[in-house]
Amino acid sequence: MTYEQRQPLAELGPDVPAAVLAPRLAQFAAVARLEHVTRAAQLLAMPQPTLSRAVARLEEELGVDLLARQGRTVRLTRAGRVLLESAERALAELERGAEAARAEADPEAGRVAFGFLHTMGTDAVPALLRGFRAGYPRVRFQLVQEYVAAMLDRLRAGELDLCLVSPLPDAPDLVARPLDEQRLHLAVPADHRLAARRRIRLAEVAEEPFVAVEQGYGLRVLLDSFCAEAGFTPRVAFEGEEVETLRGLVAAGLGVALLPPALVPRPGVVELDVTAPRTRRAIGLAWVAGRPATRPVAAFRDFVLSRRGRLLDHD
């Protein structure tokens, strides 16, 4: 969803009300609050004649009297009171936005929008966050679990600061740094004809039905690539989104799957090492090239990169 879809936007242009009003709202609000032009000018640290002309131009552009003048003292007209209510709301919202923007970059308590693979959410990501928060206990995180294509779209749109991905993207607008490598095993039902084996060549299951994640997921890209390397196209019988769901389908005898190692052995599932091809996946960190990073984002990025080779328990 784009920013425009989430937040209705005011029209912009030299003659539309938003463009005319925005630079002068604070000036008008100061005069209206104090009901005195000179004191308002002192509050805003600007010459009194400049402030008077600015309010007069605002009235001229709107075609309505906002103030009833009595020397340097002023009173709001009915139209002025209507505009002041809206001006106060707009200024308060602007102040909240400015404060939120400052908070984003606060090195101690800023925010990091971090996307990662579903398969990293069980152990690798919690371990990263625990390690980082030891040094930065007040930094806030927005955590997003997505498939790779969707994550990279959100990264480019500015909705995410960093992404933990596999496979690593090869795109000129992105920076991707490898962190670790994980072996993928062939999961088969416990009563499968090959379940007694420890190792297998992927070509040996070319005729078997597969269960796999949906198109667009990194694991699906890797499955298709490894099977092609083994000389066949996988016949996918069931598609899902969660690795543990796929493991359950394997246990039910509905197919075989190429999956990361299970943290806890799943009853009814046997995991075999694949000797050919070399079924490993590179896992890395990605961000948008050339986009300035806030201090908390830069600190977390440096911390994650420092974990290279130690992100996963791997062989």
Side-chain angles (χ1 to χ4, degrees), residues 87-123:
E88 296 286 16
R89 288 195 298 271
L91 291 170
E93 185 63 28
L94 182 60
E95 180 61 29
R96 283 192 292 272
E99 183 59 33
R102 286 191 290 266
E104 286 284 298
D106 185 330
E108 300 299 329
R111 183 180 71 102
V112 179
F114 182 42
F116 53 91
L117 303 165
H118 289 83
T119 52
M120 297 288 102
T122 305
D123 56 344

Side-chain angles (χ1 to χ4, degrees), residues 117-119 146-148 166-167 184 210-224 234 236-247 249-250 256-260 281:
L117 303 165
H118 289 83
T119 52
E146 271 283 13
Y147 62 94
V148 171
S166 178
L184 301 179
F210 276 77
V211 297
V213 290
E214 298 172 354
Q215 294 287 351
Y217 284 72
L219 274 177
R220 181 60 175 270
V221 173
L222 292 172
L223 171 66
D224 292 343
V236 177
F238 294 91
E239 291 183 329
E241 296 180 351
E242 296 287 346
V243 165
E244 289 310 309
T245 299
L246 301 183
R247 226 180 290 276
L249 295 175
V250 172
V256 301
L258 195 63
L259 300 175
R281 65 170 178 172

Side-chain angles (χ1 to χ4, degrees), residues 11 37 55 73 83 91 93 145 149 156 167 187-188 196 203 242 259 276:
E11 292 185 8
V37 177
V55 175
T73 301
L83 179 60
L91 291 170
E93 185 63 28
Q145 291 178 273
R156 290 183 170 100
V188 302
E242 296 287 346
L259 300 175

Side-chain angles (χ1 to χ4, degrees), residues 72-291:
R72 293 180 178 176
T73 301
V74 296
R75 295 287 185 271
L76 283 171
T77 64
R78 186 169 65 183
R81 285 194 297 272
V82 170
L83 179 60
L84 180 61
E85 290 178 4
S86 295
E88 296 286 16
R89 288 195 298 271
L91 291 170
E93 185 63 28
L94 182 60
E95 180 61 29
R96 283 192 292 272
E99 183 59 33
R102 286 191 290 266
E104 286 284 298
D106 185 330
E108 300 299 329
R111 183 180 71 102
V112 179
F114 182 42
F116 53 91
L117 303 165
H118 289 83
T119 52
M120 297 288 102
T122 305
D123 56 344
V125 168
L128 280 176
L129 298 178
R130 181 177 62 247
F132 179 73
R133 288 292 291 273
Y136 296 85
R138 296 173 57 215
V139 169
R140 296 169 291 117
F141 280 84
Q142 176 192 353
L143 302 177
V144 175
Q145 291 178 273
E146 271 283 13
Y147 62 94
V148 171
M151 266 200 298
L152 296 181
D153 285 344
R154 296 181 70 169
L155 187 67
R156 290 183 170 100
E159 297 176 13
L160 295 175
D161 299 309
L162 303 165
C163 290
L164 196 62
V165 295
S166 178
L168 275 62
D170 181 14
D173 61 330
L174 299 177
V175 178
R177 295 286 183 265
L179 292 172
D180 219 327
E181 193 175 66
Q182 184 180 52
R183 174 174 288 180
L184 301 179
H185 298 287
L186 187 74
V188 302
D191 60 356
H192 191 273
R193 61 183 175 86
L194 299 172
R197 300 264 296 274
R198 292 185 58 189
R199 297 179 179 84
I200 189 175
R201 290 177 294 105
L202 196 58
E204 293 181 69
V205 290
E207 301 302 320
E208 300 273 350
F210 276 77
V211 297
V213 290
E214 298 172 354
Q215 294 287 351
Y217 284 72
L219 274 177
R220 181 60 175 270
V221 173
L222 292 172
L223 171 66
D224 292 343
S225 173
F226 289 137
C227 289
E229 190 174 346
F232 70 96
T233 299
R235 181 166 56 87
V236 177
F238 294 91
E239 291 183 329
E241 296 180 351
E242 296 287 346
V243 165
E244 289 310 309
T245 299
L246 301 183
R247 226 180 290 276
L249 295 175
V250 172
L254 298 174
V256 301
L258 195 63
L259 300 175
L263 293 177
V264 178
R266 178 70 178 258
V269 176
V270 174
E271 296 187 352
L272 308 177
D273 289 340
V274 180
T275 58
R278 185 172 179 268
T279 55
R280 294 176 179 262
R281 65 170 178 172
I283 298 171
L285 191 68
W287 62 91
V288 174
R291 178 178 292 166

